Amino acid sequence: MGALKLVAVSAGLSKPSSTRLLADRLAEATVRELAAADRKVEVEVVELRELAVDIAHHLVTGFPSPALGAALERVTGADGLIVVTPVFAASYSGLFKSFFDLVEPDALTGTPVLLAATGGTARHSLVLDHALRPLFAYLHALTPPTAVYAATDDWGAGADTYGGGLPARIDRAGGEFGRLVGAVRGDGPGAVRGGEAGEAEVVPFEELLGKPA
């Protein structure tokens, strides 16, 4: 069985970026979960800040640059996606939305997607369920139950060592996501199975996540 391909999409605008940092930590937690199941993983990162001008040109002209075209191919060809956006005006950023507007509506069908966001205060945490989850439901992606929001205060030294803080949420989300990716892209129990006429058989979430019904 070949290596699984994970792609982390970061819409952070600064460098360094807490959005990119959260994407990296979620990827590490996912790799740990899959490594425990003897699954090899290749991780790539797509930094949207580096593609901002290309995205704008594509929206106007309808033609992607080579760099943007390659990024879209990596995203739509991934076995699993980790998507992280900063919060602007109580929702995902315009750059984040513009990029996923360029993804074909059916290109992410059945793809596991881990949702995450960063912001200044915890008041914006509802963006995960009110904005991100509906967007990827429209794209027919599979999103695990746990999504991760990281406020500025979550990155303090105390938060990094406190067992119930951000690190614990990252580990839980990475564990769920890793099991989901392994199940959907694997050959064992819980794998997505083809039905008649090429349609996928719906598998209960409890089975995909390796939990008893």
Side-chain angles (χ1 to χ4, degrees), residues 102-115:
L102 301 178
V103 174
E104 292 295 327
D106 295 327
L108 297 182
T109 298
T111 300
V113 178
L114 176 54
L115 309 176

Side-chain angles (χ1 to χ4, degrees), residues 22 43 46 67 105 114 119 124 137 153 157 162 179 182 189 193 213:
L22 181 56
V43 179
V46 173
L114 176 54
H124 296 301
D153 290 345
Y162 179 53
R179 291 190 294 273
R193 296 179 285 271

Side-chain angles (χ1 to χ4, degrees), residues 10-20 48-49 52 84-98 116-121 123-128 130-132 149-150 152:
S10 169
L13 298 180
S14 60
K15 192 174 183 178
S17 163
S18 61
T19 302
R20 170 62 188 272
L48 297 188
R49 64 185 295 276
V84 191
T85 178
V87 175
F88 291 123
S91 188
Y92 36 62
S93 73
L95 178 60
F96 182 88
K97 181 60 163 58
S98 294
T118 59
T121 73
R123 292 180 299 171
H124 296 301
S125 60
L126 289 177
V127 69
L128 296 169
H130 288 189
L132 284 171
Y149 178 83
T152 300

